[in-house]
Amino acid sequence: MKSIILLCLLICSALLFAHEDNKKPNIIFIMSDDHAAHAIGAYGGRFANLNVTPNLDKLASEGMLFENVFCNNSICTPSRASIITGQYPQTNGVLDLDHKLDTDKQYLPMELKKLGYSTAIFGKWHLKNEPLNFDFYKVLPSQGRYTNPIFNEKGKGNWPQNKVENEGHSSDIITNSVIEHIKNRDKSKPFFVMHHFKAPHGLFEYAPRYSNFLANTEIPEPASMYYQPNWGSEGTRGINDSLRNYIGSSVSTRNKYISYYNIIFDDETSVNESAHKAYQHYLKGYLRLVKGIDDNVGRLIDFLKKEGLYENTIIVYTSDQGMMLGEHDFQDKRWMYEESMRMPFIMYYPKKIKAGGKTDLLVNNTDFAPTLIDLVGGKVPKYMQGHNFVKTLEGKEEPNWRTATYYRYWMHIIHHYVPAHFGIRTTSYKLMFFYGKHYLPESEHEGHYWKKNYQGEELETPHTWEFYDLKNDPQELHNRYNDPACKELIAELKIELKRQRKELNETDENYPEIQTIIEKHWND
């Protein structure tokens, strides 16, 4: 009799453990705003020795770090739309900050709910329409505030009047809300939580406890912040540098419309001196916000471990794009240059991902949703244009993977005086075309908020190409488009660029003025 009882107990125990092993993993998708990959220690950039991100570095050591992840449009709303839809901008309809993502295109939570997940989003949303397809949300209206932020919260009234006030810093409040939600979750379902920080978006309002962090530290500067005679083209500098005080918001006093120096300081000095002084202020504010993110990620991980959830939770850390941190004397993002286009991407899931892995697979933000869906046993829907990279997570080769990733910035001149452009990036090369014109005809500019705030959005800037050999010139200091030695390679890249524009529904058939510019200057 005793042996029968013992056998029954062993069988029940085995069934219990088998159930636990087959239980779907939870998913926490952590995304910051404008967090450049080179501002994470694990990526080994110029800030690595400052020890700003020990928790993210540890997460990378326990999971996989992706070295070649890029957005297809380095601006908040379009990038977030691509992440949640798995589609490129012309397909999901979100080209710039003025567009809304249709509620029936909130695909990622919709697909995960089909797989039995509870879904929630906290923090920055920025896709304008109500996040209806999440079971719960607590999101910032538009960009939101850093200090004592207001959130739109499900169950507190009708959108967008469902506002609740909170006291404290947004990074702390968002993390508190995520932890509280997981504590009180429906334990019969695996959970999918999008944990979106507002930080480190500028202007940089960090929690007071970080005021002394790096106070006495000289932050390393990029060499490209100063004069670069071989960088750029007439499309980014103007003829004989005639647009250097206009194109691209600056750290120094170079740009006469948006200069970080002139926002913070009220004295006059030389361009180089202003660059140094403004850069130190800019980076200390930025890195203090990054430190706040890292501390909160550490707090979240400690909670998951305490609750016994860490081993069965997929954790993603990324940002909606990169950030220009003084490179080429630029602030903000938008550019196809490396620091803006590159996204950090760390993925942890010990049941599938071997600790300490690194990959140079060429990934973009349309791939995130398909990968998460496939990883938890779902079928990637055909309407998604991105691809899943689960084989890479398992240490295997990806068959027929892309050799180049497409990029397009639509918001000509608006906000930070960046000309409209598109291009492709391979693992070794980058080709960009600055077509320099807004996609809306000038007759339709009236009524847009930016019409009265920015100087010359109707201006057609020069139409030029830039080509960079990233293996030999990773800082993009030498535009080699007119180098005869690169002619054949550039021709091959143009063929691939044209192919991807057509395949991805990213042509300009609906924008005849731009199409005319492209056709005229394609073979320049």
Side-chain angles (χ1 to χ4, degrees):
M1 186 66 180
K2 288 183 179 179
S3 60
I4 294 173
I5 294 172
L6 181 60
L7 180 61
C8 289
L9 288 171
L10 289 171
I11 291 171
C12 290
S13 178
L15 288 171
L16 177 64
F17 281 114
H19 172 73
E20 290 297 319
D21 286 343
N22 293 326
K23 187 179 177 183
K24 285 187 183 296
N26 304 303
I27 306 170
I28 301 180
F29 185 92
I30 308 171
M31 183 160 67
S32 54
D33 191 332
D34 299 348
H35 190 181
H38 61 299
I40 295 175
Y43 279 91
R46 66 181 182 275
F47 311 116
N49 292 334
L50 301 179
N51 195 33
V52 179
T53 57
N55 292 299
L56 290 175
D57 299 344
K58 189 171 190 299
L59 186 68
S61 73
E62 295 179 350
M64 179 173 282
L65 183 140
F66 286 72
E67 298 175 310
N68 279 329
V69 177
F70 302 95
C71 58
N72 54 47
N73 186 346
S74 183
I75 190 70
C76 302
T77 304
S79 179
R80 290 165 186 268
S82 287
I83 287 168
I84 208 164
T85 64
Q87 297 175 337
Y88 289 79
Q90 287 202 62
T91 298
N92 65 40
V94 182
L95 307 183
D96 61 24
L97 295 178
D98 286 330
H99 289 100
K100 300 178 180 180
L101 180 68
D102 294 341
T103 55
D104 60 359
K105 292 182 179 179
Q106 295 169 11
Y107 294 136
L108 182 54
M110 291 164 64
E111 293 295 335
L112 289 174
K113 282 166 82 169
K114 292 177 187 176
L115 298 171
Y117 280 81
S118 67
T119 59
I121 182 168
F122 298 85
K124 183 169 176 179
W125 170 237
H126 219 238
L127 294 173
K128 295 183 169 62
N129 285 323
E130 182 178 10
L132 281 171
N133 289 289
F134 290 87
D135 297 316
F136 182 78
Y137 62 78
K138 184 177 179 180
V139 296
L140 293 164
S142 187
Q143 185 61 43
R145 298 196 304 239
Y146 270 121
T147 303
N148 300 334
I150 293 170
F151 292 85
N152 294 109
E153 184 173 332
K154 189 165 186 176
K156 302 294 184 180
N158 295 323
W159 177 275
Q161 281 75 43
N162 54 341
K163 294 180 178 178
V164 295
E165 296 183 1
N166 292 259
E167 291 187 3
H169 192 272
S170 68
S171 295
D172 301 332
I173 294 166
I174 291 163
T175 305
N176 290 344
S177 299
V178 168
I179 289 173
E180 191 66 22
H181 174 80
I182 295 173
K183 279 182 181 177
N184 299 317
R185 71 192 185 280
D186 178 353
K187 293 182 173 62
S188 68
K189 296 180 179 181
F191 61 80
F192 168 59
V193 172
M194 300 193 90
H195 180 319
H196 291 184
F197 290 103
K198 168 183 167 62
H201 191 283
L203 292 170
F204 310 126
E205 190 178 328
Y206 45 84
R209 65 182 181 272
Y210 296 108
S211 295
N212 293 323
F213 181 63
L214 302 175
N216 299 315
T217 301
E218 183 81 2
I219 309 299
E221 298 179 351
S224 63
M225 189 163 64
Y226 302 100
Y227 186 56
Q228 316 150 74
N230 298 314
W231 164 80
S233 63
E234 290 181 359
T236 51
R237 303 174 66 133
I239 299 170
N240 296 322
D241 276 0
S242 60
L243 295 176
R244 283 297 282 150
N245 67 347
Y246 177 77
I247 288 180
S249 60
S250 58
V251 174
S252 74
T253 56
R254 173 185 55 78
N255 188 291
K256 64 181 179 181
Y257 295 116
I258 303 184
S259 152
Y260 188 81
Y261 187 91
N262 289 336
I263 292 170
I264 303 300
F265 304 101
D266 59 7
D267 59 330
E268 294 185 7
T269 185
S270 69
V271 171
N272 280 359
E273 288 176 355
S274 70
H276 173 74
K277 186 175 178 180
Y279 174 85
Q280 293 299 318
H281 189 280
Y282 181 75
L283 262 297
K284 286 178 183 179
Y286 180 86
L287 293 175
R288 285 165 185 164
L289 282 168
V290 171
K291 176 65 172 168
I293 290 171
D294 190 77
D295 286 348
N296 275 293
V297 169
R299 192 159 63 92
L300 175 63
I301 290 173
D302 287 345
F303 163 75
L304 294 173
K305 289 178 177 177
K306 183 179 177 182
E307 295 292 311
L309 296 169
Y310 189 59
E311 295 298 319
N312 194 45
T313 298
I314 297 166
I315 301 176
V316 172
Y317 183 84
T318 188
S319 179
D320 51 359
Q321 60 256 328
M323 186 74 163
M324 303 302 298
L325 301 178
E327 297 84 9
H328 310 294
D329 188 31
F330 289 144
Q331 54 168 312
D332 199 67
K333 54 268 184 179
R334 301 162 197 271
W335 296 98
M336 195 182 166
Y337 297 121
E338 284 297 279
E339 297 82 7
S340 171
M341 181 189 185
R342 185 186 297 276
M343 306 169 77
F345 196 85
I346 296 166
M347 203 160 181
Y348 163 88
Y349 180 40
K351 293 182 180 179
K352 286 273 188 180
I353 302 170
K354 186 178 178 181
K358 288 186 179 181
T359 177
D360 63 357
L361 188 74
L362 197 60
V363 170
N364 72 48
N365 50 351
T366 65
D367 301 327
F368 300 173
T371 299
L372 289 174
I373 291 166
D374 185 278
L375 189 57
V376 297
K379 184 176 181 181
V380 179
K382 291 182 179 179
Y383 61 74
M384 288 189 174
Q385 295 171 294
H387 308 287
N388 85 74
F389 47 82
V390 170
K391 283 187 170 57
T392 296
L393 300 177
E394 296 171 340
K396 302 172 185 174
E397 291 290 321
E398 297 287 352
N400 305 316
W401 195 256
R402 71 170 65 85
T403 57
T405 185
Y406 180 75
Y407 181 94
R408 174 104 182 238
Y409 177 71
W410 292 80
M411 294 178 65
H412 181 61
I413 296 306
I414 299 162
H415 291 177
H416 286 266
Y417 297 92
V418 176
H421 58 289
F422 61 73
I424 55 169
R425 188 201 191 280
T426 72
T427 54
S428 301
Y429 304 105
K430 184 181 294 179
L431 180 68
M432 299 181 277
F433 178 58
F434 290 88
Y435 59 89
K437 189 173 182 62
H438 198 280
Y439 68 93
L440 284 178
E442 190 176 341
S443 60
E444 295 184 34
H445 285 195
E446 292 298 336
H448 283 263
Y449 74 96
W450 38 261
K451 174 65 180 175
K452 57 190 175 190
N453 292 323
Y454 299 93
Q455 303 294 322
E457 81 290 335
E458 74 285 347
L459 176 69
E460 192 172 314
T461 53
H463 319 299
T464 57
W465 292 87
E466 294 183 15
F467 169 75
Y468 295 96
D469 176 352
L470 300 171
K471 278 192 173 179
N472 297 305
D473 179 24
Q475 296 183 57
E476 297 169 305
L477 298 175
H478 189 185
N479 174 17
R480 297 183 62 191
Y481 182 76
N482 293 315
D483 185 340
C486 301
K487 184 177 180 180
E488 187 175 328
L489 177 56
I490 289 170
E492 292 174 0
L493 289 173
K494 284 186 178 181
I495 292 170
E496 177 63 14
L497 176 58
K498 184 176 288 188
R499 185 194 71 78
Q500 287 206 23
R501 277 169 55 79
K502 183 176 180 180
E503 179 185 284
L504 300 173
N505 185 36
E506 288 289 324
T507 63
D508 285 273
E509 294 173 1
N510 296 323
Y511 308 101
E513 291 182 330
I514 295 175
Q515 186 61 34
T516 298
I517 291 170
I518 294 168
E519 290 174 355
K520 181 179 179 181
H521 295 279
W522 189 261
N523 294 315
D524 283 1

